Amino acid sequence: MRRQLTRAALAAGLALGALAAGAADYTGPLFDAHLHYNDEARQGPHPLDDVLARMQRNGVRGILANSRTNEGTHALAASAQARAAGVTVVPFVRLYRSREEYSNWFRDESIYEMVQAELARGTGAGPFRGIGEFHLYDSANADGPVARKLMQLAEDRQLAVLAHVDDRAVDMLMAHTASRGQRLRMVWAHTGIGGSPVERVDQLMARYPLLLGELSYRPGLTCEGGRLCPEWRQLILKYPDRFVIGSDTWINQRWMYYDQLMAGYRTWLGDLPADVARKVAWSNAAGVFGLGSP
């Protein structure tokens, strides 16, 4: 009996392996929910026609754009080329005018004033839809005065936030809102770049109904052959409406490898049921920001 069970388990494992090996890549539209068009790209080797060509040939039909400085996002949002390429721009106000502000924004009142000015200004693609990306390298800084005010502002104005923070800071930031995170849309950059355990991600997804996990740079997401690791496949299937993908083009090298980044997503998206793959690739972000079918 034990030998029969062992053979059965081995056969099942081989069958699953064959299924994974034969899974077809996802071929539908993509929404890049974490894209930067920073000054060093825009003023350097990646003018608008270059970045838009990269999006177009990879089937990227929507982007969450946030840039240092915000002029990069304004350039994308006002671009007739973007519209011609079939790329819809969802603009976010980024908090940084320079890299030095990454570690100080949460207590810099001028950042809050800049955000308000940008919100009043709007973009060529319409009003800003969110705030961020912002970073907290020490979760204790989630209690900084500007961090508190921005979370309250985001919830009051129904703006999303794109937050590069650890799991502890997610709780702390949510606590600053009147609803204690029940009505704040947070796109959690990298879904915990430090490697928050899957069980902890599950807990936060259950606690905050509008939390979206963005999956660039996520440790432990993929295993051999660029396929989804089993625990992440299980979590995505549990919350099929709560995950999105992104390129995080924070340095020019990420633009250079944009094709490979998108191809990598298409590989592991192919491990999911077709309807779930399309949600993660496109519909989850597109639905939040009111985009129709591409």
Side-chain angles (χ1 to χ4, degrees):
M1 176 64 74
R2 183 177 298 173
R3 185 174 297 173
Q4 290 174 329
L5 289 172
T6 301
R7 283 200 295 265
L10 177 61
L14 291 172
L16 286 172
L19 180 63
D25 289 357
Y26 169 79
T27 59
L30 300 176
F31 191 113
D32 186 340
H34 186 163
L35 182 139
H36 306 297
Y37 191 35
N38 293 336
D39 287 352
E40 56 267 32
R42 180 172 60 93
Q43 298 170 357
H46 300 292
L48 271 174
D49 58 349
D50 176 85
V51 298
L52 289 168
R54 292 171 193 271
M55 296 176 208
Q56 190 172 37
R57 69 175 173 254
N58 284 287
V60 174
R61 306 299 298 276
I63 58 173
L64 191 164
N66 70 109
S67 310
R68 174 187 38 82
T69 60
N70 284 300
E71 293 310 310
T73 296
H74 282 290
L76 285 167
S79 171
Q81 291 172 269
R83 293 188 288 275
V87 177
T88 299
V89 179
V90 176
F92 272 41
V93 180
R94 202 166 190 204
L95 306 190
Y96 310 134
R97 295 156 295 196
S98 68
R99 290 196 64 89
E100 288 70 32
E101 292 178 325
Y102 284 40
S103 58
N104 192 50
W105 67 269
F106 44 84
R107 56 174 167 254
D108 184 345
E109 191 65 27
S110 74
I111 297 290
Y112 186 72
E113 294 168 358
M114 180 269 285
V115 169
Q116 290 181 307
E118 288 286 356
L119 292 174
R121 176 185 179 188
T123 78
F128 281 101
R129 306 296 302 278
I131 298 169
E133 183 193 17
F134 57 78
H135 298 72
L136 288 173
Y137 300 118
D138 182 345
S139 56
N141 292 323
D143 283 338
V146 173
R148 289 175 178 268
K149 290 169 67 173
L150 285 175
M151 294 307 101
Q152 293 160 7
L153 176 70
E155 183 169 278
D156 289 346
R157 297 201 187 181
Q158 296 184 309
L159 298 168
V161 298
L162 175 59
H164 176 131
V165 300
D166 65 16
D167 57 289
R168 179 168 175 255
V170 171
D171 279 328
M172 295 172 70
L173 291 169
M174 294 294 199
H176 297 324
T177 66
S179 72
R180 299 192 67 80
Q182 298 305 293
R183 295 194 302 270
L184 178 68
R185 171 72 66 191
M186 179 183 288
V187 182
W188 188 10
H190 320 299
T191 318
I193 195 168
S196 301
V198 168
E199 296 78 12
R200 176 63 170 149
V201 176
D202 189 349
Q203 181 185 63
L204 291 172
M205 287 284 171
R207 182 174 298 164
Y208 303 115
L210 301 184
L211 181 65
L212 287 177
E214 185 272 317
L215 293 170
S216 64
Y217 279 114
R218 169 61 223 198
L221 177 69
T222 56
C223 290
E224 186 177 355
R227 297 295 178 180
L228 270 178
C229 293
E231 64 271 24
W232 274 96
R233 187 177 190 275
Q234 183 178 357
L235 187 67
I236 292 170
L237 291 176
K238 183 175 181 179
Y239 298 103
D241 302 319
R242 306 284 294 281
F243 290 99
V244 297
I245 62 169
S247 60
D248 191 11
T249 47
W250 67 286
I251 52 175
N252 287 348
Q253 185 184 40
R254 298 284 284 183
W255 281 115
M256 292 170 58
Y257 291 100
Y258 196 84
D259 294 359
Q260 291 92 323
L261 292 171
M262 295 301 112
Y265 281 127
R266 290 189 180 279
T267 294
W268 67 251
L269 284 164
D271 295 336
L272 296 166
D275 59 332
V276 177
R278 187 178 176 91
K279 286 182 177 183
V280 176
W282 170 261
S283 303
N284 290 344
V288 165
F289 298 111
L291 280 65
S293 298

